Amino acid sequence: MSSPPLNRDNVGLVSNLSTRNLDSCSGQYVYVYDLASRFNEDLLKGCHSLMKWDDMCPYMSNLGLGPKVIEKSKEKALLKESWYATNQFSLEVIFHNTMKNYKCLTNDSSLASAIYVPYYAGLDVGQYLWGGFNVSIRDASPKELVKWLAQQPEWKRMWGRDHFMVVGRVGWDFRRRTENNDDWGTKLMLLPEARNMSIMLIESGSKVNEFPIPYPTYFHPSKDKEVFQWQKKMIKVKRPYLFSFAGAPRPNSNSSSSIRNEIIKQCQSSRSCKLLSCNDGHNYCNDPVHVTKVFQSSVFCLQPPGDSFTRRSTFDSILAGCIPVFFHPESAYNQYLWHLPRNGSSYSVYIQERDVKEKRVMINEKLSRVPKSEVLAMRKEIVRLIPRIIYRYPSSRLETIEDAFDIAVKGILGRIEAARRNFTNVNYTIS
């Protein structure tokens, strides 16, 4: 049975349901499976081995937000509270802990509009992406999970079409098509059961059941006033640089990401550009203070593809009130349809990747020609978007603001309601 396509218009389908009766959670109830600990809690206990190159244990602290940031410099770039050294792959843990405080949780699955499967698939696969692990080891947990799901009474109501997962890595890590040990990742998203579920992740391959949501940033406020205070600060901050880039070159000049090498050259040759290099002996690109300072000081922030089309840096730049400059439509425009405006030109600048690589466009000249009125309008829109791309402190609730979590839940409820109508209509036709 085909599923409804990814569509921003699905968002809000449940928004008027609360008027039908006195239950303010009608149409919004979520039931959370109590999975075996190997699918989540045990992964956190084994955090030292989650990634070959990094110890993830510090990043799992503070409900998945990571260590609290203490800014030592006199020139304060951050607010005093609510900043954490959050890892870009921590979304599964953050989302799960936030869901534990969701206002419309239910222990009665028959009342639920959606069923959440809290499997930390990204942390799981991260253990095996490097090191020569065979496919049977990589696929063991995904296969065991879907086997268990298929046996649950909740699954049999709609064969999983009312189930959803949150994955903290890009979709490519879960779409291995062969049984060759040299191929990348697991085959989680190609398993029949997973294809029935809705999957939220940080980057999609445009599959009908995949819904990209923002990477986590470093800012996790507990109160509305912190968000308003930050927005006000980003409107007023002085930006001495026209544009900036935070990143490292790519050694393979034939790869699509080689645009970075040209961007770095152009940035280094311009007094209007601030470069934050990520491959020096002192790598400041994972330092929330350094990253935020650079983006705060810039009008535009360059966001070329890297290891994949999307970058966590896109959301760091939006958080800092810096207008993102994209070079490929898959870096944002075809991804975050629930969280970012459909009109990409309202909040960003687009430059053809080929034009830069072939030196037909000089970035400095292109950006300097953007009218000041357009710059101000884009920055106003960027600052307006800040609440939509941040994840609050998981145990808190914001009063008047919808954050990235709220928008994601609203989107997934709309998507599942559309799937439910489609499922019901098909069954009615068959009968």
Side-chain angles (χ1 to χ4, degrees), residues 206-341:
S206 300
K207 307 299 180 183
V208 295
N209 69 324
E210 295 178 12
F211 300 87
I213 61 177
Y215 286 74
T217 67
Y218 302 116
F219 184 42
H220 304 281
S222 298
K223 299 177 181 177
D224 294 38
K225 66 178 182 179
E226 295 174 86
V227 181
F228 301 144
Q229 185 180 353
W230 180 253
Q231 287 177 297
K232 188 176 181 180
K233 180 179 174 69
M234 291 307 96
I235 284 287
K236 292 183 175 182
V237 69
K238 293 182 179 180
R239 301 178 185 272
Y241 294 99
L242 177 63
F243 63 110
S244 65
F245 175 62
R250 288 296 185 268
N252 183 1
S253 60
N254 293 321
S255 70
S256 62
S257 59
S258 67
I259 185 177
R260 285 179 168 225
N261 301 338
E262 180 60 28
I263 282 174
I264 290 172
K265 288 179 185 177
Q266 291 196 25
C267 185
Q268 288 174 329
S269 65
S270 173
R271 294 182 179 179
S272 300
C273 184
K274 176 67 174 177
L275 177 65
L276 183 61
S277 180
C278 299
N279 65 340
D280 293 334
H282 298 287
N283 186 349
Y284 293 119
C285 288
N286 293 321
D287 183 328
V289 178
H290 276 84
V291 170
T292 306
K293 278 185 176 179
V294 169
F295 290 167
Q296 277 182 4
S297 69
S298 310
V299 178
F300 298 99
C301 291
L302 308 184
Q303 302 297 347
D307 296 325
S308 65
F309 288 120
T310 65
R311 303 181 75 206
R312 179 244 184 87
S313 177
T314 293
F315 298 99
D316 291 334
S317 68
I318 292 174
L319 179 61
C322 187
I323 300 164
V325 179
F326 298 116
F327 302 87
H328 197 289
E330 292 296 335
S331 291
Y333 304 144
N334 296 340
Q335 296 284 343
Y336 308 101
L337 305 181
W338 290 347
H339 292 78
L340 299 179

Side-chain angles (χ1 to χ4, degrees), residues 197-209:
M197 291 190 282
S198 297
I199 301 175
M200 294 187 283
L201 68 175
I202 55 177
E203 178 182 317
S204 168
S206 300
K207 307 299 180 183
V208 295
N209 69 324

Side-chain angles (χ1 to χ4, degrees), residues 31 33 109-110 115 148-160 162-163:
Y31 176 80
Y33 276 130
S109 62
S110 67
I115 310 290
W148 181 86
L149 287 173
Q151 296 171 349
Q152 304 311 303
E154 291 85 3
W155 181 267
K156 296 172 183 177
R157 290 191 317 213
M158 291 178 59
W159 305 110
D162 56 352
H163 286 48

Side-chain angles (χ1 to χ4, degrees), residues 242-243 300 302 325 349 363-370:
L242 177 63
F243 63 110
F300 298 99
L302 308 184
V325 179
V349 172
I363 298 171
N364 182 68
E365 295 176 6
K366 173 83 171 180
L367 297 178
S368 64
R369 289 198 297 266
V370 179

Side-chain angles (χ1 to χ4, degrees), residues 103-169:
K103 63 180 180 180
C104 294
L105 277 185
T106 179
N107 291 323
D108 183 351
S109 62
S110 67
L111 294 177
S113 294
I115 310 290
Y116 172 38
V117 183
Y119 169 39
Y120 299 165
L123 296 184
D124 190 12
V125 73
Q127 305 173 97
Y128 308 121
L129 291 176
W130 297 272
F133 294 94
N134 65 45
V135 296
S136 61
I137 291 176
R138 286 181 258 161
D139 290 340
S141 287
K143 287 183 176 180
E144 184 175 334
L145 175 74
V146 299
K147 180 181 179 181
W148 181 86
L149 287 173
Q151 296 171 349
Q152 304 311 303
E154 291 85 3
W155 181 267
K156 296 172 183 177
R157 290 191 317 213
M158 291 178 59
W159 305 110
R161 289 171 179 82
D162 56 352
H163 286 48
F164 73 94
M165 291 174 49
V166 177
V167 175
R169 296 188 71 96

